[in-house]
Amino acid sequence: MKKQKAKGPLAIKTLIFGALSGLLYYLVFSNEDWITTTYTMGGWHTIYPVGTALVFSFVHGAFASNLLSLLGIEAKSSH
Amino acid sequence: MKKLFMCFVLALGFIFVVSTAWAGGGGGPPKNMLKGVFVKVNKDRTADFKVDGTGEIKHLILSEHVDLEEIPLERKVLVSLITDEKTHEITNEVKSVSIMFMDLTPAKIIALLVVGLIGGLLSGFIGSGGAFVLTPSMMSLGAPGAVAVASNMCHKFPKAMVGAYKRWKYGQADIKLGLFMAATAIIGVQIGIQIQKYILNHWGNAGSNLYVSLMFVIVLVVVGIYVFLDAYKLAKGGKEAETTKIAKKLQSINLPPMIHFKTAGIKISAWFTIPVGIATGMLAATIAVGGFIGVPGLIYVIGASAMVASATELVIAFCMGMWGSIQWGLSGLIDIRLTLLILAASLIGVQLGALGTTYVKDYMIKIVMGSVMLIVAVSRGAKIPGYLADLGLRAPLDPSTASLLNSISFWALVAALGTAGIIISAAMIRGMLQARQGTN
């Protein structure tokens, strides 16, 4: 197994990305009506859903990655 | 340096995907659909409909299938129009109306999160999957078919991107091979769409459904059994997987341009990767899960290991998913709420699945893939009697049989996902425990 990373900085990173991800989810679901209408206008508006999915994948993906590491679930080091 | 190269390749792929999607070559939603709001519904079964995007007011006729009282005013809906059986032209008669954005209850949110988590796990582990159960799940929760497909597609590419990145870090994903395959797969999608259109024009919707299901069952049963038997032999013999004879033969043919795929450790003529890419794309256009042919193709025809093939499939899924999402987005059919809810759990699942591959032997990926393919084949096979009846090739099904077959079809999908989730989790936990014991 890999040497365990320092838990402190990892916990802070997880907390920051988690809070950011939570904030993004809150922003989307508190403006549900505006978002569902604007995002489905078609044409160049396609950039909204595709861009949003990309932003969430970075922020929420980073949160998920840090969370798994914090829980000690990591890839086998020989790979 | 490696990271910079990865960014450059991804940017190139992005530009390629955007440009081809913008060129609009097929794919995307059915043409007999309108999106917008009803502004007025008259008692003589006519209605004024404001089309989304253009603002054009269309005068529609409401067929007898539509309940006047259930038509919402000033709420975004999807309207399916009747196609003339003889001329195949789209009429202005409404066949069905569905509300575009379903109300999200806590139970529906939990269901989306659970399916997303296991779908992500499967995707991270075998390179594809999840899509085959996510779309029907969203539809059974109340999303219209086109919205379910579009929202699922939009969740597929970020998930595949995260999975591909993780598995590239573990040294398993061959980006170059993935981009090669994706470019040819997009050509395959176009061919697949043309075949679908031909069948739709000659045999109508029922013919198209029957074709899709037959393809599903034949490909999944044949390839699934082959993959499963191969995995079984490897598991029993305890040997490492060997490159197939056909892959060795193809690799030995010096037909320029010869391409070296470093991570996969293969040097093969581009002419042999093209048919596999095209077949992947054709299957993706037909049954929406190209990976079921892409991964076995990469293993048995190109000669990659199951580990590299399943990781590389994620690169292909990213390119194809982004291309598809832009197309569906151009038609404005993505419900981003559904996409983000699935992503919330699947981004965790895909990383778990990806790191899980580092704890298992190569054949484990084949076992999961083969089992999933065979159970999904049962699900689709249960739909065939209904389509045969629609085409008049057998007696109509009685309602209880039809409902039973529909239940079998849906629950087989759930079983496929559940089985995969259990096998992956068990293999991963066992691998982790062994690794921990080894270090103690």
Side-chain angles (χ1 to χ4, degrees):
Chain A
M1 287 292 282
K2 234 182 226 178
K3 269 188 182 175
Q4 291 292 313
K5 287 179 191 167
K7 293 268 178 186
L10 200 59
I12 293 169
K13 264 166 102 180
T14 312
L15 213 64
I16 292 173
F17 279 112
L20 209 58
S21 172
L23 178 72
L24 286 174
Y25 271 98
Y26 172 75
L27 284 175
V28 168
F29 283 92
S30 58
N31 297 292
E32 218 177 314
D33 290 339
W34 181 83
I35 281 183
T36 45
T37 310
T38 318
Y39 278 42
T40 51
M41 302 268 271
W44 67 267
H45 291 88
T46 186
I47 207 159
Y48 286 129
V50 173
T52 305
L54 270 177
V55 170
F56 273 79
S57 70
F58 282 115
V59 177
H60 191 65
F63 161 67
S65 174
N66 286 310
L67 180 71
L68 290 175
S69 299
L70 191 67
L71 296 173
I73 307 171
E74 288 193 275
K76 200 173 172 181
S77 53
S78 63
H79 280 260
Chain B
M1 191 63 199
K2 212 174 169 188
K3 271 187 183 169
L4 203 71
F5 173 72
M6 170 105 172
C7 290
F8 176 69
V9 171
L10 282 179
L12 269 184
F14 179 76
I15 293 166
F16 170 73
V17 164
V18 173
S19 57
T20 46
W22 213 266
K31 302 278 180 278
N32 64 340
M33 247 170 200
L34 283 180
K35 179 168 59 75
V37 289
F38 279 100
V39 282
K40 196 177 166 200
V41 177
N42 305 311
K43 282 188 179 156
D44 62 348
R45 303 195 73 82
T46 58
D48 290 335
F49 186 79
K50 189 177 171 192
V51 181
D52 218 19
T54 60
E56 179 197 355
I57 302 284
K58 277 199 177 238
H59 196 64
L60 300 177
I61 301 163
L62 303 166
S63 73
E64 56 191 23
H65 308 292
V66 181
D67 187 350
L68 286 188
E69 288 182 5
E70 283 187 8
I71 294 185
L73 289 176
E74 302 298 340
R75 190 167 176 192
K76 215 176 235 190
V77 289
L78 270 182
V79 167
S80 170
L81 298 172
I82 293 175
T83 310
D84 190 289
E85 277 183 18
K86 283 178 188 161
T87 60
H88 301 297
E89 277 181 15
I90 298 160
T91 64
N92 65 342
E93 197 175 348
V94 178
K95 190 176 165 190
S96 64
V97 177
S98 33
I99 291 168
M100 220 176 134
F101 306 114
M102 64 173 178
D103 293 321
L104 287 169
T105 58
K108 286 181 183 177
I109 293 173
I110 292 169
L112 287 170
L113 291 175
V114 171
V115 183
L117 181 70
I118 310 173
L121 187 69
L122 186 62
S123 201
F125 200 80
I126 67 168
S128 70
F132 61 83
V133 74
L134 278 168
T135 307
S137 298
M138 280 192 264
M139 283 166 72
S140 64
L141 290 175
V147 175
V149 175
S151 311
N152 182 26
M153 185 69 88
C154 192
H155 122 275
K156 179 177 160 174
F157 82 88
K159 176 187 73 177
M161 184 180 75
V162 171
Y165 174 70
K166 281 276 161 176
R167 296 195 61 178
W168 172 74
K169 265 178 60 179
Y170 304 149
Q172 300 170 344
D174 195 313
I175 309 281
K176 192 170 153 190
L177 180 59
L179 290 178
F180 251 84
M181 294 286 292
T184 42
I186 287 175
I187 300 169
V189 169
Q190 302 301 332
I191 299 171
I193 288 165
Q194 294 310 318
I195 297 173
Q196 289 266 45
K197 276 185 186 163
Y198 180 83
I199 290 168
L200 198 65
N201 285 337
H202 284 78
W203 292 283
N205 214 15
S208 170
N209 285 337
L210 182 65
Y211 162 71
V212 170
S213 294
L214 278 177
M215 281 289 287
F216 225 119
V217 175
I218 294 168
V219 172
L220 262 56
V221 168
V222 173
V223 184
I225 288 177
Y226 188 82
V227 174
F228 200 82
L229 287 179
D230 181 30
Y232 181 72
K233 264 191 268 169
L234 289 169
K236 218 177 160 191
K239 281 188 282 181
E240 288 293 314
E242 281 179 13
T243 311
T244 56
K245 278 181 191 160
I246 182 163
K248 276 184 188 161
K249 176 85 191 149
L250 292 178
Q251 287 174 21
S252 69
I253 301 172
N254 190 3
L255 186 67
M258 294 294 286
I259 302 170
H260 182 216
F261 298 109
K262 211 170 143 191
T263 311
I266 298 165
K267 195 174 178 189
I268 193 167
S269 166
W271 295 106
F272 301 132
T273 65
I274 292 170
V276 179
I278 289 181
T280 307
M282 278 176 70
L283 201 69
T286 313
I287 67 170
V289 198
F292 282 161
I293 200 107
V295 178
L298 280 171
I299 299 171
Y300 302 113
V301 183
I302 307 289
S305 66
M307 204 64 90
V308 170
S310 55
T312 304
E313 178 59 33
L314 285 166
V315 181
I316 306 172
F318 165 70
C319 298
M320 307 264 291
M322 179 167 261
W323 179 70
S325 299
I326 293 170
Q327 292 229 335
W328 284 103
L330 286 171
S331 312
L333 287 168
I334 299 169
D335 185 345
I336 196 74
R337 303 169 312 155
L338 302 183
T339 302
L340 295 179
L341 282 172
I342 305 168
L343 266 182
S346 80
L347 287 179
I348 300 173
V350 76
Q351 299 192 59
L352 259 178
L355 71 86
T357 59
T358 65
Y359 288 97
V360 298
K361 288 230 166 80
D362 207 67
Y363 68 80
M364 209 61 215
I365 293 172
K366 291 179 183 170
I367 287 184
V368 174
M369 182 141 213
S371 328
V372 168
M373 285 172 88
L374 292 174
I375 307 175
V376 174
V378 171
S379 156
R380 208 64 202 200
K383 293 252 178 195
I384 290 179
Y387 297 142
L388 285 173
D390 288 347
L391 277 173
L393 295 172
R394 58 154 290 156
L397 298 175
D398 62 83
S400 61
T401 315
S403 137
L404 177 72
L405 287 174
N406 268 335
S407 304
I408 292 175
S409 176
F410 181 76
W411 288 104
L413 289 180
V414 177
L417 203 64
T419 310
I422 293 169
I423 303 177
I424 297 171
S425 309
M428 235 166 79
I429 293 169
R430 202 173 51 224
M432 282 180 180
L433 289 176
Q434 277 170 357
R436 253 174 221 176
Q437 277 166 2
T439 51
N440 287 338

